[in-house]
Amino acid sequence: MATPPSLCIEKLKQALDAAEIGQHPVEVHGALVGLICGGVKQDHMAWLKPLVELMNDGQALEHNLQHLITELYQDTVARLADFEFGFTLLLPEEEVSLSQRVEALALWIQSFLTGIAIIQPELAKASPDVREVIKDLAEIAQVEFDVGDDDESETAYIELQEFVRMSAILCYSEFGLDMPLNDTDKSSTIH
């Protein structure tokens, strides 16, 4: 059973706060997913350097925080690589007000776009479908939402969240790499 996103968000927030890094957990996840979906090299923890550049101006992360982010990375890669695992965005759960969830989604999208742009500087050469979703995501990230606390707004948020999720999967299918899920520096020898 998967860990509820709120538990992961809270754990990551505590580690970010302890390390005095002003990023929100959804920003960290958005950037991480952007890097992965952009096709960052996934061997020898090569993904960590661009993420640390985004998160902490290139300064090394505190051990506990790096461990949490490595676990988040491995979980995210597994979920993106195997559709049955059910990739999800790391966002607050339903108990959080809709306006806060919408704000968190916008932060996630902005970070995703930053992450993917770092790894794919020539997005203009992507397929028409990917270019279209990148354009749509950029527009969504800039829109100011007037969120009501009603069923219609909740439904619109859920649909928007699903669009963002499927957009990330589309980008991963175009740029992402097929790689082993154990991201270590060890090489195995067959005798």
Side-chain angles (χ1 to χ4, degrees), residues 1-8 79:
M1 176 175 258
T3 303
S6 60
L7 293 179
C8 189
R79 290 172 184 274

Side-chain angles (χ1 to χ4, degrees), residues 3-184:
T3 303
S6 60
L7 293 179
C8 189
I9 286 175
E10 190 54 39
K11 220 171 155 180
L12 188 52
K13 177 151 182 32
Q14 289 171 359
L16 287 164
D17 290 347
E20 298 181 358
I21 296 175
Q23 297 279 317
H24 190 285
V26 301
E27 291 175 289
V28 173
H29 189 249
L32 184 62
V33 174
L35 294 170
I36 295 167
C37 291
V40 70
K41 291 190 185 321
Q42 297 182 12
D43 55 343
H44 307 292
M45 293 186 67
W47 57 271
L48 187 59
K49 184 177 185 214
L51 184 66
V52 170
E53 288 289 332
L54 288 172
M55 283 180 55
N56 202 27
D57 295 326
Q59 300 299 311
L61 300 178
E62 185 272 327
H63 176 74
N64 183 47
L65 178 58
Q66 183 170 325
H67 179 74
L68 283 174
I69 291 173
T70 300
E71 285 181 349
L72 185 60
Y73 163 83
Q74 290 170 338
D75 180 69
T76 302
V77 167
R79 290 172 184 274
L80 280 165
D82 187 343
F83 202 73
E84 289 182 27
F85 278 124
F87 167 70
T88 58
L89 311 179
L90 181 64
L91 294 170
E93 292 188 59
E94 293 175 6
E95 296 78 29
V96 175
S97 74
L98 184 57
S99 62
Q100 288 177 303
R101 287 183 283 147
V102 168
E103 184 179 328
L105 180 61
L107 284 174
W108 193 98
I109 294 169
Q110 290 167 3
S111 297
F112 172 82
L113 291 172
T114 301
I116 201 168
I118 286 171
I119 301 303
Q120 282 297 329
E122 296 184 18
L123 281 171
K125 295 180 181 175
S127 71
D129 288 343
V130 167
R131 287 194 317 262
E132 182 70 25
V133 298
I134 295 294
K135 179 178 161 280
D136 291 346
L137 290 174
E139 289 174 7
I140 291 167
Q142 299 306 314
V143 172
E144 300 228 359
F145 296 95
D146 184 19
V147 180
D149 202 12
D150 54 47
D151 289 343
E152 186 177 319
S153 295
E154 184 70 36
T155 300
Y157 169 77
I158 291 169
E159 289 173 1
L160 188 57
Q161 184 179 343
E162 181 62 12
F163 173 79
V164 173
R165 186 181 83 83
M166 293 307 294
S167 296
I169 291 170
L170 176 65
C171 291
Y172 181 77
S173 70
E174 183 155 331
F175 301 123
L177 303 173
D178 293 327
M179 71 295 169
L181 295 181
N182 60 344
D183 184 21
T184 63

